[in-house]
Amino acid sequence: MSIGRDNWGSRLAFILAASGSAIGLGNIWRFPTVAARNGGGAFVQVYLLFVILLGFIVMVGEITLGRRTQRNPVGVFRELAPRSLWVAVGFLGVAAGWGILSYYSVVAGWTLSYVFTTAGGTFSSGISAENIDLIFLGTIASPARAIFWHFIFILLTVGVVMGGVKQGIERWSKILMPMLFILLVLLVVRSMTLENASIGLKKYLSADWSKVTGSTLIAALGQAFFSLSLGMGTMITYGSYMHRNENIVRSAGWVCFSDTLIAVLAGLAIFPALYSMPGVEPEVGAKLIFIVLPGLFSKIPFGTLFGTGFFLLLSVAALTSSISLLEVPVAYFVDERRWPRRRAAVVSGLIAFVLGIFSALSLGAVDGLSGILKIGPRTLGFLDLMDLTFGQFSLTLGALLIALFIGWKWGARALVDELSHQESGGRLSGFIAFQIRYVCPLVLIALLLYLILNPNAFA
Ligand code: TRP
């Protein structure tokens, strides 16, 4: 164990910080959209199954690797499989941290800018649908605005991470996570008491199995990994700051539960709101949040207040996630290269910022970046390509390699051993070992093959 390494202050601190990582744009913006596109209730049920059978298992595996070695994702493999190629999995994670953060921060930047747009009363009654459209276009297509807000968001992220584990990440998660939960519950209540709330609710809760296909399964699994922050060593890193005697299985259970709860609540807040506006279909993607909801806020009493609250909530959720993305490269530089934390945070943040400029400019500002690749009916810009490469492919591959490493190289025995350090003696560890050895690799290989053979499933 390296000397002087930071630790979480308590078990609750780990759960809050790890939930903070998991809960983000993925839950509040992506989950409702993907659910709507894939048949509502049926998708939600498939998603729940994947969280329990695969997500929870990989999360336990990642946390265990981190806590066992008390090191970053690269250090884990250097210690448990010295001088082998496995270390590449760690570097893949570090690269994915930069890759995901670079575009995540662009979308989070729009969110942040909408806090101010909304608070200024822009969406108060009387604004036309066209003007709402124009405001969104102005936000994403103006090079200066997009880069400015992306920069501010990276700056906030670097600021928290520079503070370290206890003084930075833990302190902020403890304030921000409960705040987020309260804001979301308020929004759910407001949304459910809207005039036509029952129409949206029915869409969300009733299962339309006819819409479930191979791509639905892929969407559900991809969403589960992204939402639970798995596949790139975030949970390895957060687990490495955990104390020896803590119960990993129970903590992972709480994180999965709260992440799923927030996603489901976000759906409850958004679906009724969506269908209370006649003629709007939820297939609208990014617009769902930045165009449809402002339209709603402009029509309800206290819309400015609720709107500001909503975008604040989304920014907060995004911040506790982005710090966990940055923490992976930072932990690498601090542990393996002995860099001071400040320098590691600033340099890593700078890399993500520069890389993110291309994403920030890919939504209308620079033509060459807006339409790089055509898959099926969709034209992908730079931001979409980054999401595809790092947010989906690299995570799935990473999760597969981590499961294979634990199940077959490090050994399911070692996993069970490490889990038995805790109070309840690792009750589920037999089941977990079996899943990680057989079920996870098989499902993930099948999925990757399917993706390679049907690239259209992405679209
Ligand atoms: N889980 C976060 C979300 O839902 C995003 C995120 C943070 C993430 N850290 C991650 C995704 C690590 C994948 C891997 O928005």
Side-chain angles (χ1 to χ4, degrees):
M1 198 194 297
S2 43
I3 296 162
R5 214 163 176 275
D6 231 350
N7 273 121
W8 304 114
S10 64
R11 182 160 76 100
L12 187 66
F14 169 81
I15 293 175
L16 284 179
S19 306
S21 165
I23 298 165
L25 297 172
N27 304 57
I28 297 176
W29 166 54
R30 204 166 178 271
F31 179 81
T33 319
V34 180
R37 198 183 299 146
N38 287 289
F43 171 86
V44 177
Q45 288 169 33
V46 174
Y47 178 82
L48 292 180
L49 202 71
F50 279 155
V51 168
I52 296 168
L53 289 182
L54 295 170
F56 169 67
I57 306 292
V58 174
M59 186 179 289
V60 169
E62 280 201 30
I63 298 175
T64 310
L65 284 178
R67 194 189 64 177
R68 169 60 195 252
T69 56
Q70 309 268 301
R71 289 173 80 174
N72 64 93
V74 171
V76 163
F77 295 102
R78 283 200 174 139
E79 180 171 328
L80 298 180
R83 282 175 299 281
S84 72
L85 263 181
W86 284 104
V87 73
V89 183
F91 282 112
L92 184 72
V94 172
W98 278 318
I100 298 178
L101 178 59
S102 73
Y103 69 86
Y104 198 83
S105 155
V106 171
V107 180
W110 304 341
T111 314
L112 204 56
S113 87
Y114 263 63
V115 174
F116 298 94
T117 313
T118 315
T122 310
F123 300 124
S124 51
S125 43
I127 188 167
S128 68
E130 278 132 44
N131 281 338
I132 294 181
D133 258 341
L134 285 178
I135 288 171
F136 183 57
L137 272 182
T139 305
I140 65 170
S142 140
R145 282 199 66 179
I147 293 179
F148 172 77
W149 288 106
H150 164 53
F151 178 73
I152 296 291
F153 197 80
I154 291 277
L155 209 63
L156 288 172
T157 307
V158 169
V160 174
V161 170
M162 243 167 28
V165 174
K166 220 177 261 155
Q167 289 305 312
I169 302 174
E170 174 174 331
R171 191 174 54 164
W172 283 99
S173 303
K174 272 185 167 164
I175 305 170
L176 298 177
M177 295 316 292
M179 198 168 107
L180 180 144
F181 184 74
I182 294 169
L183 268 170
L184 188 56
V185 170
L186 280 177
L187 271 174
V188 170
V189 171
R190 183 65 196 93
S191 195
M192 302 254 265
T193 48
L194 283 171
E195 210 169 312
N196 291 316
S198 59
I199 305 175
L201 271 184
K202 214 164 135 204
K203 281 258 181 210
Y204 185 46
L205 298 175
S206 66
D208 178 357
W209 289 102
S210 69
K211 280 199 183 166
V212 174
T213 62
S215 359
T216 314
L217 301 185
I218 299 224
L221 191 69
Q223 174 64 22
F225 280 138
F226 188 88
S227 188
L228 295 168
S229 299
L230 297 174
M232 57 154 274
T234 292
M235 290 298 164
I236 293 183
T237 309
Y238 274 25
S240 76
Y241 304 127
M242 213 180 191
H243 286 289
R244 250 294 136 74
N245 51 3
E246 272 163 34
N247 190 319
I248 294 178
V249 174
R250 198 184 303 153
S251 298
W254 275 108
V255 177
C256 290
F257 172 74
S258 57
D259 184 67
T260 308
L261 179 70
I262 296 284
V264 170
L265 280 180
L268 281 182
I270 286 168
F271 269 70
L274 207 54
Y275 287 92
S276 73
M277 306 219 307
V280 180
E281 279 294 312
E283 257 81 355
V284 285
K287 294 181 176 178
L288 177 69
I289 296 296
F290 297 102
I291 293 182
V292 176
L293 284 182
L296 173 82
F297 298 138
S298 75
K299 294 192 187 76
I300 60 175
F302 303 111
T304 295
L305 193 68
F306 275 104
T308 311
F310 177 79
F311 287 112
L312 194 62
L313 169 153
L314 202 58
S315 305
V316 162
L319 184 62
T320 52
S321 298
S322 66
I323 57 185
S324 77
L325 288 163
L326 187 64
E327 182 62 20
V328 172
V330 167
Y332 163 72
F333 283 122
V334 171
D335 288 354
E336 304 295 307
R337 301 275 178 119
R338 302 271 161 230
W339 283 20
R341 176 168 270 276
R342 282 175 162 264
R343 174 164 26 133
V346 170
V347 170
S348 296
L350 208 64
I351 293 176
F353 171 68
V354 172
L355 195 57
I357 291 178
F358 296 98
S359 290
L361 295 180
S362 73
L363 291 134
V366 176
D367 276 346
L369 292 170
S370 318
I372 298 181
L373 190 74
K374 263 185 105 56
I375 298 185
R378 266 180 77 189
T379 310
L380 303 180
F382 192 83
L383 191 149
D384 305 302
L385 279 180
M386 291 296 283
D387 182 40
L388 206 65
T389 316
F390 292 106
Q392 300 189 45
F393 187 72
S394 162
L395 293 185
T396 314
L397 184 64
L400 169 64
L401 293 173
I402 288 170
L404 284 176
F405 178 79
I406 296 177
W408 299 91
K409 170 78 188 164
W410 188 43
R413 267 247 72 84
L415 176 78
V416 173
D417 264 2
E418 183 66 22
L419 288 178
S420 65
H421 279 307
Q422 53 211 24
E423 321 110 59
S424 64
R427 239 180 300 138
L428 285 172
S429 51
F431 166 71
I432 291 170
F434 178 81
Q435 292 280 325
I436 216 152
R437 212 169 142 84
Y438 300 105
V439 178
C440 293
L442 278 178
V443 175
L444 290 172
I445 288 173
L447 191 88
L448 281 170
L449 280 181
Y450 182 92
L451 274 184
I452 290 165
L453 298 176
N454 305 281
N456 280 350
F458 273 131

